Amino acid sequence: MLNDAKLRSAKPRDKAYKLTDSHRLYLLVKPNGGKLWRWNYAYGGKQKSMHFGIYPMVSLVEARTKRNEARAILSEGKDPAIVKKLTIEANRKATACTFERVAREWHEVFKSQWAPVHADDILRSLERDVFPAIGKFPIADIEPPLVVKLLREIEARGSIETAKRVRQRISSVYIYAIAEGVAKSDPADKLAAVLKPLRKGRQPAITDLKKLREMICTAEEDPARPITRLAMRFLALTAVRPGELRGARWDEFEDLDGDEPLWRIPAERMKGDQDRKREEGGDHLVPLSHQAVAILRALWPLTGACPLLFPSNRHPHKPMSENAIGYLLNRAGYHGHHVPHGFRAAFSTIMNEWADREGKENDRAIIDLMLAHVPPKKSEGAYNRAAYMPRRRELAQLWADMLTATLPSPWVLVERPSKRTGDHSRRRVPLPVSVDFRFPERSKAA
């Protein structure tokens, strides 16, 4: 049996010689003074040898550990030398499979399933927030604390929602990596519980009229789908909830060619409990301004053949993505400053300030009614949702006049370029005979 004293005192000779240990482990001492750990074994009827490293870089204890591990592999009927080569090759491949490499491969595989704008947003978020932090690490070696660190840095700049989305995208990359055999676990899987909760309360909104116009104008110049631009303008004019807008159907509109155009949103599509949704006479009535009708006139050739005003580009029978308008605002540079729901806050703030300046205190309750807010101490069922319709129509027109004073015609939004070259929403479609209203052809003055 060897010990450290024997190993240290071993001197080179004219010829190489061995210092043997137990179970065929030995130290080969070369004439040049080098000392190499080797182990002899038999496999497949042949005598073979493995080397375990150079002494003293590999100590006696470490050499014996390597020998014992090799003997265990041999006892399983495997050649330890082959297993070692395969392990080295696997380690090399694992090192080459960095997070960035696998993430870009994942993105390339799945991007055809996403809208191009969404696909671009995903890649930009990875390039901005993830690749600089963990992109160069082997994907199989990344542990949860490293992922938490990069998510905390995103939270530190106030982007709580972004941190949650980034965690989800990292997790999606790992699901792909596990399926491809380049990772065994997902370090981001359980991290949702340790992230900061989203701030509740009022959502980001621009409530200054001039800045609101500038924001709408900037967003409408983005190369988006025409129906997305029109949807945002219509949302701003009607101040309905984004979910109510996405589900809007052509058969919900009345008298569009008449003097009192109206959007009747069925009670079952409104926010509230089941009693609210079953309420008789509970439809939300939205009087439409001339500008709102003009948007519908521009939208009709694009989606008039569909039941929905704002259908998905890929699935015309489904509503547009709930993120479409939000992404439009984000791309325009208003992330964290204004969200689609913020148009309701803008309408409420600006119109109530106008009512205060003009001494129209009674209009405050009407403005709440236009937002489908139930006054305090009023039950849903006892609330007259059709009240004050003439004044609501006047206020809707006043709001539209203020909001669109510096905005282009809806037809301009249709004719601006779309980022999707294959966007079939630009097609003009015939008027279905089942619809009981008719829009006249576009005039030169439109």
Side-chain angles (χ1 to χ4, degrees):
M1 296 283 289
L2 294 175
N3 56 48
D4 285 328
K6 291 181 181 179
L7 296 173
R8 287 194 301 267
S9 63
K11 304 298 182 182
R13 301 174 185 173
D14 293 339
K15 294 183 179 180
Y17 65 96
K18 301 177 182 178
L19 296 176
T20 59
D21 195 60
S22 59
H23 301 291
R24 306 182 75 178
L25 175 67
Y26 63 92
L27 185 74
L28 180 65
V29 184
K30 294 184 176 182
N32 63 3
K35 299 175 182 179
L36 180 65
W37 287 112
R38 298 191 69 89
W39 175 65
N40 291 335
Y41 67 101
Y43 183 81
K46 297 181 180 180
Q47 291 297 317
K48 306 187 74 173
S49 179
M50 287 182 67
H51 65 82
F52 292 150
I54 300 171
Y55 178 84
M57 293 177 62
V58 176
S59 69
L60 175 60
V61 172
E62 291 171 333
R64 286 172 175 171
T65 300
K66 289 176 180 288
R67 176 202 60 195
N68 293 340
E69 291 173 350
R71 290 182 69 205
I73 293 172
L74 186 62
S75 69
E76 295 174 354
K78 302 175 183 178
D79 187 339
I82 299 299
V83 171
K84 181 179 179 181
K85 289 179 180 179
L86 292 175
T87 301
I88 292 172
E89 183 61 25
N91 290 338
R92 286 174 179 166
K93 289 183 178 179
T95 302
C97 287
T98 63
F99 181 88
E100 180 172 350
R101 176 181 171 183
V102 177
R104 289 187 183 278
E105 184 178 307
W106 163 80
H107 184 269
E108 187 67 25
V109 169
F110 289 99
K111 70 178 184 180
S112 63
Q113 301 180 23
W114 306 317
V117 170
H118 182 53
D120 291 346
D121 179 71
I122 290 174
L123 186 57
R124 280 197 303 269
S125 73
L126 292 173
E127 291 174 337
R128 180 185 63 241
D129 296 320
V130 182
F131 294 164
I134 63 173
K136 295 181 180 179
F137 288 96
I139 192 166
D141 295 343
I142 297 173
E143 298 290 337
L146 197 58
V147 181
V148 170
K149 183 175 183 293
L150 80 86
L151 295 175
R152 292 283 188 236
E153 291 175 353
I154 297 173
E155 289 180 333
R157 66 175 191 249
S159 302
I160 308 301
E161 185 176 356
T162 298
K164 293 183 179 297
R165 285 199 301 267
V166 167
R167 187 210 65 81
Q168 292 170 348
R169 288 165 185 173
I170 292 174
S171 194
S172 295
V173 172
Y174 267 96
I175 291 173
Y176 172 79
I178 292 169
E180 290 294 313
V182 295
K184 294 183 178 180
S185 62
D186 174 10
D189 182 36
K190 305 296 184 182
L191 299 186
V194 303
L195 296 180
K196 293 180 180 179
L198 289 172
R199 291 185 294 268
K200 296 183 179 180
R202 188 172 180 176
Q203 300 192 57
I206 293 175
T207 56
D208 176 84
L209 181 59
K210 181 180 178 181
K211 292 181 179 179
L212 186 67
R213 289 176 186 150
E214 292 174 352
M215 184 269 293
I216 294 173
C217 187
T218 300
E220 288 178 346
E221 291 175 351
D222 184 86
R225 296 176 64 208
I227 67 169
T228 304
R229 298 191 194 103
L230 294 171
M232 187 184 71
R233 179 82 71 91
F234 199 65
L235 183 67
L237 286 169
T238 57
V240 298
R241 297 179 178 90
E244 295 157 7
L245 176 97
R246 291 175 55 243
R249 301 174 59 90
W250 284 106
D251 58 12
E252 294 174 356
F253 291 84
E254 304 171 5
D255 199 29
L256 291 182
D257 285 313
D259 297 330
E260 297 181 346
L262 185 74
W263 179 13
R264 184 183 298 272
I265 305 178
E268 62 267 21
R269 287 213 304 110
M270 295 297 296
K271 180 180 179 181
D273 57 22
Q274 291 303 311
D275 289 339
R276 165 72 177 92
K277 295 178 183 297
R278 291 192 295 263
E279 180 185 335
E280 185 176 352
D283 297 347
H284 179 45
L285 307 182
V286 183
L288 299 175
S289 63
H290 303 319
Q291 292 88 337
V293 173
I295 290 174
L296 299 180
R297 201 179 301 277
L299 183 65
W300 176 258
L302 307 182
T303 68
C306 303
L308 297 166
L309 271 70
F310 306 106
S312 163
N313 189 50
R314 291 180 178 273
H315 306 287
H317 60 287
K318 295 182 179 180
M320 67 190 300
S321 166
E322 62 181 341
N323 298 318
I325 298 176
Y327 284 149
L328 182 62
L329 293 169
N330 291 348
R331 292 195 303 273
Y334 289 90
H335 178 70
H337 299 279
H338 194 89
V339 295
H341 198 275
F343 287 114
R344 291 171 58 79
F347 170 79
S348 177
T349 301
I350 295 170
M351 290 303 293
N352 276 300
E353 289 175 351
W354 172 88
D356 289 342
R357 289 196 306 269
E358 299 296 323
K360 307 287 186 180
E361 290 297 323
N362 292 336
D363 283 341
R364 298 181 69 88
I366 299 175
I367 291 168
D368 279 344
L369 178 58
M370 295 172 74
L371 291 165
H373 290 164
V374 178
K377 301 181 181 179
K378 283 274 189 177
S379 66
E380 291 274 7
Y383 190 39
N384 182 4
R385 301 185 185 281
Y388 308 107
M389 186 53 67
R391 184 55 180 165
R392 287 160 68 180
R393 191 171 295 281
E394 292 173 356
L395 292 176
Q397 188 58 54
L398 175 66
W399 167 246
D401 291 342
M402 290 193 295
L403 185 67
T404 63
T406 59
L407 299 181
S409 159
W411 293 100
V412 173
L413 306 185
V414 173
E415 293 166 353
R416 283 177 176 168
S418 169
K419 193 169 186 178
R420 290 185 64 92
T421 56
D423 187 355
H424 63 260
S425 69
R426 298 294 299 270
R427 295 180 300 183
R428 305 224 168 219
V429 296
L431 179 71
V433 295
S434 61
V435 179
D436 61 359
F437 60 84
R438 179 176 58 84
F439 280 121
E441 292 296 323
R442 176 186 177 187
S443 66
K444 294 182 179 179

